[in-house]
Amino acid sequence: MPEPGIHPPPKPTTPRKAPWDHVEELVQRLDRLIALYEGVAPPGAPPGEVPPEWPGLAAVISRLDEILNIIRWQAAEAVQIYRESIRSAGAFPSEMANWKRGKRLLLKVKSTLDQDASIQVIGNTKNTVVDSVDINAALNCAAKSSISVGMAWDDWHPFIGCTITTLTAPTDGELKVEAVVQE
């Protein structure tokens, strides 16, 4: 029978790791695999060529290439989701950018309008502005200026767009919004 009193829980035998700690370990292991892969070539062959006596290695190398492509963060080309010469006061929705496989997203707004515009970032589970929700607070884009909006991970939606609102009808210029997804 235990003695009366306060007994703290036992110390954990395995320390818990944060998610980013595992990424560093994964990168180190992948670096070792790449070094092994590059050292596999028979004498006189180019680095990385698979010897015929190791037929299963080709499948491993193929899978490793897929994993490395998933891990690399590469930006896709900028996609124009809105470009109009606005001549009235009101709200104007953009197209939606596909952020399904993205890690980060940047919206760049360039205005040559002679009036300020409000930019409200919106998100949706479908590729439509219908039933979309506002993300964060609206940002002001001053007349004849540019702004950019970087989305945080907790702002993630499969599809991201924006609603442009003008309170005063512009008489000159246009507004352009581009989205860049980093995958």
Side-chain angles (χ1 to χ4, degrees):
M1 178 157 185
E3 294 182 30
I6 298 175
H7 302 284
K11 294 197 186 275
T13 57
T14 306
R16 297 186 66 102
K17 289 187 172 184
W20 50 88
D21 292 337
H22 294 290
V23 171
E24 181 63 31
E25 182 181 336
L26 175 65
V27 168
Q28 289 173 356
R29 288 182 179 191
L30 287 173
D31 286 343
R32 284 193 304 233
L33 277 173
I34 291 168
L36 286 171
Y37 163 66
E38 289 174 346
V40 168
E49 187 174 301
V50 179
E53 60 269 15
W54 293 355
L57 186 60
V60 171
I61 291 170
S62 173
R63 182 68 180 134
L64 179 60
D65 286 341
E66 288 176 33
I67 291 169
L68 289 174
N69 284 333
I70 292 170
I71 292 173
R72 288 186 191 110
W73 287 32
Q74 297 176 342
E77 291 297 317
V79 176
Q80 186 172 286
I81 61 173
Y82 186 85
R83 186 175 190 158
E84 290 292 329
S85 299
I86 300 171
R87 296 294 176 259
S88 62
F92 309 94
S94 73
E95 294 177 21
M96 301 297 269
N98 185 339
W99 198 17
K100 285 183 187 177
R101 296 187 57 187
K103 295 177 180 80
R104 290 193 284 191
L105 174 85
L106 175 78
L107 295 180
K108 182 175 185 258
V109 180
K110 181 175 181 179
S111 174
T112 58
L113 298 174
D114 60 355
Q115 299 293 329
D116 291 359
S118 175
I119 310 298
Q120 175 64 61
V121 179
I122 56 175
N124 203 344
T125 56
K126 298 179 181 109
N127 192 5
T128 178
V129 295
V130 177
D131 294 330
S132 61
V133 296
D134 292 348
I135 300 174
N136 298 334
L139 299 172
N140 186 53
C141 183
K144 300 191 185 295
S145 69
S146 298
I147 63 169
S148 63
V149 183
M151 308 291 359
W153 284 15
D154 56 342
D155 295 330
W156 185 85
H157 285 73
F159 297 94
I160 298 285
C162 64
T163 302
I164 299 102
T165 305
T166 54
L167 298 178
T168 307
T171 58
D172 186 41
E174 72 176 7
L175 190 126
K176 179 170 81 169
V177 181
E178 292 179 315
V180 177
V181 176
Q182 190 175 40
E183 298 178 343

